[in-house]
């Protein structure tokens, strides 16, 4: 199976900071990569798919990039409501697999 | 607006079978080309895809769970179901049903609220 590794596992940043989360696939997955946001006690919400396509309704401060094995999720200006755990997910083939998550907190 | 709702027992004994149903409203489970999925999340841990089903009954399962998982669909009730046999404490998790943005190999954009299933005697 293709493994997805996220880093860091957690981070703390100030409001307004630029935040970058990385996701690495153990094999190339083209751009079949999605990002989810899961706020505490809530259901995961799709933020980005096809590595860089913003899901409808998602604020433009979120962006995604990458292809092949290395991907990034960037929050251009961290807001208090962005406190959450972020997961990457590959969907190039079965089994669908998720990264371990990155917990984002406000400093 | 599409809505998904999981239902089933919140407590299952070890070695027994976990059974959950996902009821879809606001859309027909058989009118579009989606593979409806089950995902789980142990308390404090990450997400794990369990499997997916098409309205025709075609299924894909996670190999790590395949020997214990059965997913079925009832189009007359607009529902699909999950059965996980021989459960242990490691199967304690929030179980979500979800729909991908389209087709099969795609991320999930509609999720149920999730239901916590605890495996304990």
């Amino acid at each position: 199976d293709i493994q997805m590794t996220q880093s860091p596992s957690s981070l703390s940043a100030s409001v307004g900071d630029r935040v970058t989360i990385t996701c690495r696939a153990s094999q190339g997955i083209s751009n079949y990569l999605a990002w989810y946001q899961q706020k505490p006690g809530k259901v995961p919400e799709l933020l980005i798919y096809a590595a860089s396509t913003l899901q409808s309704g998602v604020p433009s401060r979120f962006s995604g990039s990458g292809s092949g094995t290395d991907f990034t999720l960037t929050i251009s200006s961290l807001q208090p409501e962005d406190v959450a755990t972020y997961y990457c997910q590959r969907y190039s083939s079965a089994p669908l697999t998720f990264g371990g998550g990155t917990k984002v907190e406000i400093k | 607006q599409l809505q998904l709702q999981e239902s089933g027992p919140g407590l299952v004994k070890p070695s027994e079978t976990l059974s959950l149903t996902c009821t879809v409203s606001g859309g027909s489970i058989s009118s579009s080309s989606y593979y409806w999925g089950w995902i789980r999340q142990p308390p404090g841990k990450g997400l794990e895809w369990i499997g997916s089903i098409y309205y025709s009954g075609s299924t894909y399962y996670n190999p790590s769970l395949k020997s214990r998982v059965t997913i079925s669909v009832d189009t007359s009730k607009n529902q699909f179901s999950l059965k996980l046999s021989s459960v242990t404490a490691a199967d304690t998790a929030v179980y979500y049903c979800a729909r991908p943005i389209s087709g099969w190999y795609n991320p999930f954009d509609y999720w149920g609220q999730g239901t916590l299933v605890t495996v304990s005697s």
Side-chain angles (χ1 to χ4, degrees), chain A residues 68-85:
Chain A
T69 60
D70 294 312
F71 302 86
T72 61
L73 171 70
T74 299
I75 308 172
S76 61
S77 177
L78 186 67
Q79 300 301 304
E81 60 266 32
D82 301 334
V83 169
T85 300

Side-chain angles (χ1 to χ4, degrees), chain A:
Chain A
D1 293 353
I2 300 174
Q3 306 301 316
M4 306 301 294
T5 303
Q6 279 184 242
S7 61
S9 56
S10 65
L11 66 88
S12 181
S14 299
V15 172
D17 281 355
R18 184 180 183 88
V19 169
T20 299
I21 299 167
T22 65
C23 180
R24 176 164 291 174
S26 59
Q27 299 176 35
I29 59 170
S30 184
N31 69 334
Y32 295 106
L33 192 283
W35 291 96
Y36 296 85
Q37 176 192 64
Q38 186 177 31
K39 295 182 178 181
K42 300 297 185 181
V43 177
E45 292 189 2
L46 179 63
L47 292 177
I48 288 168
Y49 61 95
S52 61
T53 301
L54 211 61
Q55 174 71 345
S56 175
V58 174
S60 59
R61 63 180 178 275
F62 291 93
S63 64
S65 65
S67 183
T69 60
D70 294 312
F71 302 86
T72 61
L73 171 70
T74 299
I75 308 172
S76 61
S77 177
L78 186 67
Q79 300 301 304
E81 60 266 32
D82 301 334
V83 169
T85 300
Y86 294 83
Y87 295 94
C88 62
Q89 180 215 349
R90 70 158 192 93
Y91 52 96
S92 52
S93 61
L96 310 179
T97 49
F98 293 86
T102 297
K103 187 174 184 179
V104 174
E105 298 176 322
I106 299 292
K107 191 181 296 182

Side-chain angles (χ1 to χ4, degrees), chain B residues 14-118:
Chain B
S15 80
E16 296 190 344
T17 296
L18 177 160
S19 296
L20 296 174
T21 295
C22 181
T23 300
V24 178
S25 58
S28 172
I29 203 168
S30 57
S31 67
S32 303
S33 300
Y34 297 106
Y35 270 81
W36 303 81
W38 286 99
I39 298 113
R40 71 179 183 177
Q41 184 173 35
K45 296 189 177 180
L47 299 160
E48 180 181 34
W49 171 73
I50 299 170
S52 297
I53 189 165
Y54 194 56
Y55 76 90
S56 64
S58 173
T59 53
Y60 289 91
Y61 297 137
N62 191 324
S64 68
L65 298 168
K66 187 174 183 177
S67 64
R68 299 193 291 129
V69 171
T70 302
I71 298 176
S72 59
V73 63
D74 186 337
T75 56
S76 67
K77 295 181 179 179
N78 226 30
Q79 297 175 334
F80 62 105
S81 298
L82 168 69
K83 290 187 185 301
L84 181 65
S85 64
S86 305
V87 297
T88 69
D91 295 309
T92 294
V94 174
Y95 286 76
Y96 296 100
C97 57
R99 192 206 77 175
I101 57 175
S102 67
W104 161 210
Y105 291 132
N106 270 305
F108 298 97
D109 63 343
Y110 283 96
W111 295 64
Q113 286 303 300
T115 187
L116 174 62
V117 178
T118 301

